[in-house]
Amino acid sequence: MFGYDFWYQPRHKTMISSSWGAPAAFTKGFDLQHVTDGLYGRHLHVYSWPDGELKQTLDLGDTGLIPLETRFLHDPSKDTGYVGCALTSNMVRFFKTKDGSWSHEVAISVKPLKVQNWILPEMPGLITDFLISLDDRFLYFANWLHGDVRQYNIEDPKNPVLVGQVWVGGLIQKGSPVVAMTEDGKTWQSDVPEIQGHRLRGGPQMIQLSLDGKRLYVTNSLFSAWDRQFYPELVEKGSHMLQIDVNTEEGGLKTNPNFFVDFGAEPDGPSLAHEMRYPGGDCTSDIWS
């Protein structure tokens, strides 16, 4: 039972927590053997709220390896939420059933890319962070290894629809030794823009959305041991923060060319930027009870 993130829905008197892995494993960097050895999570734990009694454990199986960030819909009457499963790169929806228990299903699946010049023949997206807009219309998540940020319309929570995608880093961007392959054997790399003359380092990791839903902010450090393993340049030169402009009407994402915060230029840097928070509340802290 590897505790990680949690989220709660007071009107349903429920809290659900996720499970990253054993510190003895992830603090040393990622080793696929540790997954085989059972040192990484695949469960969600359902507790009564606020007394904290464990009521149910959901085994996500091989489709839900390393479940990290957990979010309910903001609407306090809803009994639906999602968890991002990093290694299998699936967004799993959890929900209450008619008998009052909880169940789950895969709502979004990011296919691994066939690649050349990498440690494995296939590369997972590695969903590391996600959030839901305050109006519950859109879900956003970051693929740390692939390098893209996605926007899905979730007005039908069972059937998310991809409406926006932007590439802001990753291991397969142009200029990288790693290339992806299509099903017909052709190679390709993502077209990642420079921002204010800076080549984007690392991959999109933590995200935060303005309360009006129009500005999505992105940083790129996951965990220093993993940064060093997958993006050594990030540790050497430091992180950055980007702004992505959001179309809140029909969907759509566009990197803002005028916004770049360079944490490599910090006085005691280079620094690794991770979590972001708005003073007074934001889309990953506010709930309506």
Side-chain angles (χ1 to χ4, degrees), residues 231-268:
Y231 293 111
E233 183 185 33
L234 190 62
V235 178
E236 297 168 5
K237 297 184 178 181
S239 285
H240 50 247
M241 182 167 67
L242 309 174
Q243 179 183 317
I244 296 173
D245 296 327
V246 180
N247 183 329
T248 57
E249 298 299 323
E250 300 176 355
L253 302 175
K254 185 178 180 181
T255 306
N256 188 317
N258 301 313
F259 187 99
F260 186 88
V261 180
D262 187 359
F263 289 89
E266 287 293 303
D268 296 321

Side-chain angles (χ1 to χ4, degrees), residues 20 30 32 35 40 65-68 84-91 109-113 118 120 122-130 141-150 171 203-206 221-223 226-227 229-231:
W20 182 2
F30 181 72
L32 196 58
V35 179
Y40 281 97
L65 297 177
I66 312 186
L68 296 179
C85 301
L87 185 58
T88 42
S89 300
N90 288 325
M91 190 62 60
S109 185
V110 177
K111 293 183 179 180
L113 295 175
W118 198 54
L120 296 171
E122 290 191 340
M123 179 190 295
L126 208 78
I127 298 174
T128 50
D129 192 23
F130 86 98
F141 67 75
N143 286 309
W144 191 59
L145 295 182
H146 287 182
D148 60 316
V149 175
R150 299 189 182 193
L171 288 170
Q205 208 285 106
M206 299 303 288
S221 172
L222 172 58
F223 187 74
W226 292 41
D227 294 345
Q229 180 179 1
F230 293 102
Y231 293 111

